[in-house]
Amino acid sequence: MTHTLHRLGNSESLRHDIVFTYMPSNNINHVGSAPKLRKFLEICRDLGAIKIGDTRKGNEYVQGSLENMLNNIEDRAVVEAVFDNEIKAINALKAIKEADLGLSLVVSGLFEQTRECCRKAGLNMHTVNQSLGIWGRTDKLPEKRGILELNTMCGHGMVSVSFIEYAVKKIKTGKWTPEKAAENLFKCCVCGIVNTTRAVEILKELSEEKG
Amino acid sequence: MLINSELCIGCEKCNPYCPVGAIYTDASEKVSKIDLTECVECGSCLRQANCPVDAIYQQELVWPRTIRSIMSDPLTITEESGIAGRGTEEMKTNDVTGRFRNGYVGVGIEMGRPILGAYMSDVEKVTKAVAAYGVVFEPCNPLTTLMSDQTSGKFQNELLGEKVLSTIIEFTVPINRISGIIKILKDVSKQIDTVFSLGFISKLDSDEMFPLNHILDEFGINYAPNGKTNVGLGRPLFKEKGELV
Ligand code: SF4
Ligand code: SF4
C-alpha cells in the first residue's frame, strides 16, 4: 500500500508533516511483534506525536479509545505516528533507534528533511519510494489545491471531497472551529494518519476563499 | 452497502462521507439511497455517519462484488498479503526482505487514486500495456491474484465492470528498463477514463541519492519533494551479495 506516499502540498506546509510507519515483515520478524509495535507507539506518543494509529484495527475512534487501540495491537499490525515538528520527530527517531525493537521503520516527509533527521538521529536512508504525481484524467479532479491536499492525507481516500466541502461550510457558518473540522476529517482516516495541524491551516485557507 | 428505506428519515447525515458520491437523496421518497453501480463498498458511511436510526447496513457481498470491498475498505484484510489494505509490504520492509535490490526499480501504479476510483476495465488497460513489455507482477499483491493470465495482464471478464476506490499494480524491473515503462505509462494514461498515482521504489546509491532522478529529468517528469524512506532499522538486516553492512 502506498499509504503516505502521495501527500500533496507545498514544501513549507509539508515541513510540518512527518509520518512514521512501523511494521514487521511476514515470516521474518512478525511473531511476537505486537508488544514492539505498542512500545513504538508509546515512544512516539510520549515524545510529542500529534496522532498515533493502527492500520489493522483502526484509529482511536474506530476502536473506541486510544487505550483500546494500544491494547488491541496484533502481530502483523502496521502502526503510525504523525509529527508536526521536526525536533520532536528527531528525538523520537533517536529513542526508537535506542530501543532497538528490530522492526522496519519508514519515515514519510520531505526527503531533504528526512535526510537531515536521519543524520541527526544516526540513521541511514536505505530505500526510497518517490511519488511521480498523478497521471491520466487529472481534468476530472477538483480544482482547489487545498481539497486535494486534504484528501491525499488519507492514503485510502477516506477523506471524501464532499466531506471536506461540508467541513468548510461548517467553518464558514461558524458551526465548527477549524480544529473541530480537522478532527472530524481525522476520524474518517481509519489508519489515523491525517495531520490535524496541517489540516487546520488548509481548512482555514479554504474557508477564507470566496464561493 | 444499502440503506433500509423503511427506517431512513432522510436526514442526509451519511451523504457527505461517501468518497465516490454514491449516496443520493430520493426527492419523492425523502430518503437517502445508494447507487450500487458507483458504491465501492468502502464502509465509510457505515463507520462514520452514525446514522440515528441504524438504517445503513452491509448486505452480503458475493463474487465478483467482493473485490470492491477488498480494494476499497482499508480495514479488510486480504488473504494474499495478510495485511489490511490493498497493497503489500513493498519497500516498507525492504531492509529485511531485500525485495528491491541494487539496480532494480519497484513500480507502484495506484489506479483510481486520488478521488476518482477506477473500473477494472481501466485497470486492465494498464496491466495489459505493461505486461506486453514483459513485466512480472508482484505475486503477493491481491490484484495480481485476480488476473486470469498474469503474462498478458488479463482479468476474468466478470471483473471488468467492477469499480474500486483504488488498486495498486506492482512489479519490479531492472533500472535499464524503466525508460520503456515510462513511455508505456505516458501512452496508456491517455487511454483511461480515470487517474493513477505513480510511485517508484529504489535503494539509494552510495551517496544516498535516488538513482533515477536523471531518467525522470530526461522525461520531464516532476517528482514530489516528499515521499517514503525506509531507514534500515529492521532486523535481521538483509544483505545483498558483496554488501558489508
Ligand atoms: S444517516 Fe441514516 S437516516 Fe440519515 S439519511 Fe443516512 S441512512 Fe437515512
Ligand atoms: S460503502 Fe463507501 S462507497 Fe458505498 S455508499 Fe458507503 S461510503 Fe459510499
Side-chain angles (χ1 to χ4, degrees):
Chain A
M1 113 191 82
T2 53
H3 212 218
T4 52
L5 179 62
H6 300 292
R7 285 163 105 95
L8 294 175
N10 64 46
S11 294
E12 191 36 52
S13 171
L14 289 167
R15 190 152 282 288
H16 305 286
D17 195 10
I18 304 166
V19 187
F20 294 174
T21 303
Y22 199 57
M23 72 183 289
S25 184
N26 191 28
N27 294 331
I28 296 180
N29 54 15
H30 79 274
V31 177
S33 59
K36 297 172 185 174
L37 294 161
R38 179 183 176 127
K39 178 80 189 152
F40 162 83
L41 286 182
E42 287 169 344
I43 291 172
C44 293
R45 178 196 60 189
D46 295 346
L47 292 175
I50 55 163
K51 289 291 179 192
I52 55 175
D54 175 0
T55 297
R56 194 174 184 87
K57 290 265 180 104
N59 68 31
E60 61 197 90
Y61 292 99
V62 174
Q63 300 205 52
S65 71
L66 210 50
E67 210 40 49
N68 284 353
M69 196 183 84
L70 289 170
N71 289 337
N72 293 339
I73 293 172
E74 294 176 349
D75 282 1
R76 297 221 62 199
V78 180
V79 298
E80 290 94 8
V82 181
F83 290 86
D84 63 2
N85 176 296
E86 182 179 313
I87 309 279
K88 287 178 183 171
I90 293 168
N91 288 338
L93 281 179
K94 286 180 184 165
I96 295 157
K97 185 182 179 221
E98 179 72 25
D100 197 17
L101 300 166
L103 305 183
S104 295
L105 177 66
V106 167
V107 177
S108 301
L110 291 170
F111 286 118
E112 42 109 355
Q113 187 180 36
T114 303
R115 190 182 303 281
E116 192 58 14
C117 290
C118 283
R119 198 184 58 74
K120 288 186 175 151
L123 295 169
N124 294 316
M125 295 167 86
H126 182 282
T127 307
V128 158
N129 197 351
Q130 175 99 51
S131 170
L132 307 176
I134 306 167
W135 298 46
R137 294 293 308 269
T138 49
D139 57 304
K140 289 173 116 186
L141 295 173
E143 274 174 24
K144 287 185 182 167
R145 196 74 190 163
I147 288 183
L148 277 170
E149 290 176 4
L150 289 170
N151 171 273
T152 54
M153 267 191 214
C154 168
H156 295 105
M158 292 288 100
V159 179
S160 70
V161 174
S162 47
F163 193 65
I164 296 165
E165 288 167 348
Y166 178 78
V168 170
K169 216 178 271 172
K170 288 273 189 191
I171 297 170
K172 278 185 172 170
T173 52
K175 293 195 174 110
W176 286 356
T177 60
E179 288 74 17
K180 180 170 177 172
E183 195 65 22
N184 284 337
L185 296 190
F186 173 85
K187 286 180 192 173
C188 299
C189 166
V190 292
C191 306
I193 56 167
V194 160
N195 179 326
T196 42
T197 306
R198 242 190 104 206
V200 164
E201 293 311 313
I202 300 168
L203 283 164
K204 278 183 190 165
E205 279 169 30
L206 284 171
S207 56
E208 279 156 18
E209 282 175 21
K210 288 205 178 86
Chain B
M1 200 65 68
L2 285 172
I3 291 173
N4 183 337
S5 300
E6 303 284 310
L7 296 176
C8 175
I9 53 169
C11 68
E12 298 188 337
K13 258 182 88 179
C14 52
N15 298 34
Y17 288 99
C18 182
V20 290
I23 310 178
Y24 64 97
T25 305
D26 184 316
S28 60
E29 290 182 46
K30 296 199 173 62
V31 291
S32 283
K33 290 189 174 171
I34 293 173
D35 176 351
L36 284 181
T37 315
E38 288 302 310
C39 167
V40 290
E41 304 292 355
C42 73
S44 188
C45 53
L46 184 62
R47 268 192 304 271
Q48 306 297 338
N50 211 1
C51 171
V53 292
D54 287 335
I56 306 169
Y57 67 99
Q58 179 69 70
Q59 79 279 32
E60 194 192 335
L61 296 176
V62 290
W63 178 263
R65 194 170 177 88
T66 34
I67 72 151
R68 297 189 183 223
S69 161
I70 292 169
M71 300 299 175
S72 312
D73 185 342
L75 294 179
T76 302
I77 293 170
T78 52
E79 253 174 58
E80 296 75 19
S81 67
I83 53 175
R86 56 205 75 155
T88 65
E89 291 179 19
E90 30 95 346
M91 55 74 76
K92 294 198 283 296
T93 53
N94 198 43
D95 45 351
V96 295
T97 63
R99 179 169 147 189
F100 307 101
R101 314 266 172 108
N102 289 321
Y104 286 82
V105 185
V107 179
I109 307 163
E110 189 160 3
M111 297 295 302
R113 183 177 181 195
I115 294 167
L116 303 185
Y119 278 96
M120 290 297 291
S121 49
D122 268 336
V123 176
E124 192 188 69
K125 283 182 191 157
V126 182
T127 52
K128 277 182 165 175
V130 292
Y133 192 62
V135 308
V136 178
F137 297 104
E138 167 56 37
C140 287
N141 181 301
L143 183 72
T144 305
T145 62
L146 293 174
M147 291 176 190
S148 52
D149 177 11
Q150 294 183 15
T151 51
S152 68
K154 173 96 190 81
F155 293 95
Q156 296 158 34
N157 284 336
E158 59 185 351
L159 287 180
L160 299 180
E162 295 300 325
K163 183 179 179 179
V164 297
L165 193 52
S166 72
T167 187
I168 310 171
I169 302 166
E170 283 184 84
F171 54 87
T172 301
V173 290
I175 220 163
N176 61 11
R177 287 180 54 86
I178 203 68
S179 298
I181 292 292
I182 294 172
K183 281 184 200 146
I184 289 167
L185 293 179
K186 279 200 164 193
D187 187 39
V188 77
S189 68
K190 295 186 195 112
Q191 298 164 33
I192 54 172
D193 194 32
T194 185
V195 287
F196 59 80
S197 291
L198 180 64
F200 283 173
I201 294 168
S202 167
K203 284 177 81 175
L204 293 181
D205 60 24
S206 47
D207 14 288
E208 285 205 332
M209 295 308 285
F210 194 61
L212 294 173
N213 288 358
H214 68 281
I215 301 174
L216 301 176
D217 290 341
E218 202 181 291
F219 280 94
I221 295 173
N222 285 329
Y223 38 96
N226 57 316
K228 290 162 37 177
T229 305
N230 180 316
V231 298
L233 275 179
R235 296 293 178 270
L237 203 59
F238 180 87
K239 286 179 201 165
E240 285 194 42
K241 254 193 192 153
E243 261 184 354
L244 296 175
V245 264

